[in-house]
Amino acid sequence: QRKNPFSNDPRLAAKPVHSHRGDPTYGRPPEGSQTEQRGKDAHSHVGKEVEELCLIIRSTGEVGEDGHVSVTFGQLFETYVTISNKVVGILLRARKHGLVHFEGEMLWQGKDDDVIITLL
């Protein structure tokens, strides 16, 4: 009965253990759990995709006067879409980590084909 969520007896109801804001475990899966491992695997996979995107920018782009490699979104999209359909999401992640720069919040195929993406 202690685990029965429909029990009306407050003495028998199990008290859930929740962490609170400020607690280092707040919003994190239990250590050693499968959820934690899946999160680590996903983080690693996305990191590899970001690295691959940077390599593609370096190989397809042109070096500018400032020494940085730049490519248009349209050209990058056409090249990278054969590898992964998540090019915009990976670009946003790369920008978040300070690896690339481009203007605007989001890039749209067709509309933003002339936006310059610079590898930092």
Side-chain angles (χ1 to χ4, degrees), residues 1-2 9 11 18 36-37 41-42 50 54 56 64 76 78 81-83 90-91 93 98 102 118:
Q1 281 296 328
R2 287 192 186 280
D9 190 344
R11 294 173 295 138
H18 295 292
E36 180 189 41
Q37 186 59 47
D41 293 345
V50 167
C54 290
I56 296 218
L76 180 63
E78 291 302 318
V81 78
T82 59
I83 298 166
I90 300 299
L91 267 173
R93 178 62 63 104
F102 56 89
T118 305

Side-chain angles (χ1 to χ4, degrees), residues 63-76:
V63 179
E65 293 175 7
D66 59 358
H68 289 93
V69 177
S70 297
V71 66
T72 63
F73 175 65
Q75 183 182 4
L76 180 63

Side-chain angles (χ1 to χ4, degrees), residues 42-64:
H43 183 76
S44 173
H45 179 75
V46 170
K48 288 176 187 172
E49 285 204 36
V50 167
E51 287 177 26
E52 187 174 9
L53 177 75
C54 290
L55 288 173
I56 296 218
I57 293 172
R58 189 171 285 118
S59 67
T60 60
E62 296 178 8
V63 179

Side-chain angles (χ1 to χ4, degrees), residues 98-117:
L99 300 173
V100 298
H101 172 74
F102 56 89
E103 295 296 324
E105 290 293 315
M106 181 65 95
L107 296 172
W108 303 98
Q109 184 186 12
K111 179 183 153 219
D112 295 320
D113 283 351
D114 295 329
V115 171
I116 303 292
I117 298 167

Side-chain angles (χ1 to χ4, degrees), residues 46 48 54-55 79 92 95 104 119-120:
V46 170
K48 288 176 187 172
C54 290
L55 288 173
T79 304
L92 292 173
R95 179 169 66 178
L119 187 61
L120 302 176

